[in-house]
Amino acid sequence: MAFGLARIGDADDAVAKAWARVRTNLRHSAGQRLFDQWLKPATLIDGSDADQVRIGLPSAFMTTWVKSHYADRLFHEFRVFLPQLRSVSVETVSETKPRALTIDAPAPAPSPAPVPAPAQAAIRSAERPSFDPRFTFDRFVVDASNRVAFNAARALAEPGRPRFSPLYLHSGTGQGKTHLMHAIGQAFLDACPDATALYMPAERFMFEFVQALRARDTHAFKARLRGVDLLMIDDLQFISGKDSTQEEFFHTVNEFMGAGKRLVIAADRSPMTLDGIEPRLLSRLGSGLVADIKSPELELRRAILNAKLADAPDADVPHDVMELLASRITGSVRELEGALNRVVAYAQLNGEAITMDFAVGVLGDQLRGSQRRVTIDEIQKAVSTHFDLKTIDLLSARRAVAVARPRQIAMYLAKRLTTRSLPEIGRKFGNRDHSTVIHAVRRIEELRGTDRDVDSAVNTLLRQLER
């Protein structure tokens, strides 16, 4: 009797409760991805005997893997709740096509009672793959650098026959490929609740295929992948040079294209620049829609940070700190979001307010690693040109606003873009005291929030100096 159907007797109830707790423990100890791939489809075959527990899996391939990796762990986990337990057996209960990443898919009972519509909806919800709920189309910030990829992903998620397949996404690490793949999966299953989907890194594809070869059970592996309505393979570059894996992947691509089903591939390079991939496979991948995601420009980095900050309403991050992150963390979206998370977390854990100095202190190494070497001389020259002044004016004692404000902006930029100390910056501006530099930095920080002309000038100079 599968877990989830009517239980008879005290032993049945005790075993079922133990099974629920064991699954919870395994989810935490194994990690979500490993649990989803191998342990989620497991069902409790028989709960009538508290001395012996039988666990069922839908294919011989999965049974072999769980036996070799988790037989002892399952026994010890059950013994915590069932001290009288003598054995745990792992068996194959069905060779029928499994639904992608199912949760407790029960074996069909004879003459089942009709399931009410709300219950059916709950079952379908439970069978959804474990896509990250944060990665949706609504939360993907779009601009010219990623618009084609975004629109293509959204189009592929729409119901009906796909206009193109495969969709091949490529970009550097952390630019949003995985976000779009999770968004496709969630939107597609929302539009087609009875459909099936599977997201799998190429490394996992290779591992499972090799395991299936060793277990002589490639049929179950092929049935699992080719039976879904939407298949997404991430980080394709990892199967470079793996001939047998590429052969199987080639046939999988052909199967999906021939059936008119949805296939999404992601890699760090375009198809024709991948090394160690068979030409016929590259040709197939390039026959669909190839969309790249470029590194985010400054405006997009700002928008991403603002969207991220909207998810943390309790975090008070000043405008100048946001500008610091947007202008200096240019490597990837993931790195940018990580920097913001780090600053906010350190402030909350230390009970401190977020200021420019605090952010620089927290992100010191990261900022220095991403910083182009800008000198104070370059800053003075750029500011002088922008405000139509002579560099000597910035070093003079003149206090007219037409000179003093550009001088303050130059000091602010020197503090932000160089590693020079406050006294060193002061000396470069006509031997001024470090307190004068502090006043200049604070004044420009204030004006950036209230004076549009000052903020525009600073942004223009930042873009110019960081090229």
Side-chain angles (χ1 to χ4, degrees), residues 87-123:
S87 67
V88 175
S89 64
V90 182
E91 308 168 20
T92 304
V93 294
S94 172
E95 291 294 339
T96 58
K97 182 183 80 172
R99 188 172 177 92
L101 302 181
T102 56
I103 301 177
D104 291 338
S111 304
V115 181
Q120 288 177 336
I123 291 172

Side-chain angles (χ1 to χ4, degrees), residues 85-385:
L85 184 70
R86 296 195 309 269
S87 67
V88 175
S89 64
V90 182
E91 308 168 20
T92 304
V93 294
S94 172
E95 291 294 339
T96 58
K97 182 183 80 172
R99 188 172 177 92
L101 302 181
T102 56
I103 301 177
D104 291 338
S111 304
V115 181
Q120 288 177 336
I123 291 172
R124 285 196 299 270
S125 175
E127 291 172 340
R128 290 172 63 97
S130 296
F131 293 120
D132 193 321
R134 299 171 301 165
F135 295 159
T136 63
F137 288 129
D138 291 341
R139 296 167 69 91
F140 190 86
V141 184
V142 184
D143 82 339
S145 66
N146 56 29
R147 183 169 289 112
V148 171
F150 174 80
N151 289 336
R154 193 165 54 180
L156 193 71
E158 294 174 353
R161 187 175 181 85
R163 284 182 278 169
F164 48 82
S165 184
L167 169 62
Y168 186 100
L169 303 170
H170 67 95
S171 75
T173 301
Q175 304 292 16
K177 300 186 300 294
T178 301
H179 185 139
L180 284 180
M181 296 176 89
H182 281 250
I184 291 169
Q186 294 180 83
F188 176 64
L189 292 181
D190 285 342
C192 307
D194 294 324
T196 52
L198 178 62
Y199 166 84
M200 177 183 289
E203 195 173 23
R204 170 60 61 178
F205 179 97
M206 180 174 62
F207 173 77
E208 291 193 15
F209 177 63
V210 171
Q211 290 291 97
L213 284 175
R214 291 174 179 170
R216 298 181 180 180
D217 191 17
T218 57
H219 175 75
F221 174 80
K222 293 177 181 179
R224 177 180 173 228
L225 263 68
R226 301 180 190 182
V228 299
D229 301 298
L230 166 64
L231 175 64
M232 295 181 287
I233 304 295
D234 204 354
D235 292 323
L236 184 69
Q237 66 272 9
F238 285 117
I239 66 171
S240 173
K242 307 296 190 296
D243 293 342
S244 60
T245 301
Q246 289 184 36
E247 176 80 17
E248 176 59 30
F249 188 69
F250 173 78
H251 293 303
T252 299
V253 171
N254 274 350
E255 183 82 15
F256 268 76
M257 293 179 68
K261 295 200 290 186
R262 289 164 171 81
L263 177 63
V264 184
I265 311 295
D268 62 355
R269 282 158 286 171
S270 65
M272 296 309 165
T273 59
L274 285 172
D275 299 323
I277 304 294
E278 291 184 11
R280 61 175 182 166
L281 179 53
L282 294 177
S283 177
R284 286 289 189 275
L285 297 176
S287 66
L289 178 61
V290 178
D292 69 327
I293 303 174
K294 298 180 178 66
S295 296
E297 296 294 335
L298 179 60
E299 289 304 318
L300 179 58
R301 295 197 297 270
R302 287 174 176 155
I304 290 169
L305 287 173
N306 288 331
K308 184 74 176 175
L309 196 60
D311 294 334
D314 296 334
D316 184 12
V317 184
H319 174 77
D320 61 333
V321 173
M322 296 285 277
E323 280 296 307
L324 174 72
L325 299 179
S327 61
R328 298 275 287 277
I329 310 295
T330 61
S332 72
V333 174
R334 189 176 299 149
E335 185 183 0
L336 182 65
E337 292 180 344
L340 178 61
N341 289 339
R342 186 177 174 188
V343 169
V344 171
Y346 271 58
Q348 292 176 345
L349 291 172
N350 289 309
E352 295 187 42
I354 298 175
T355 63
M356 178 69 81
D357 288 341
F358 179 82
V360 171
V362 170
L363 301 174
D365 292 339
Q366 190 173 1
L367 293 175
R368 283 189 289 273
S370 64
Q371 180 180 3
R372 184 180 81 81
R373 298 303 178 187
V374 179
T375 67
I376 294 179
D377 289 339
E378 288 179 292
I379 292 171
Q380 290 174 339
K381 183 177 179 180
V383 171
S384 299
T385 301

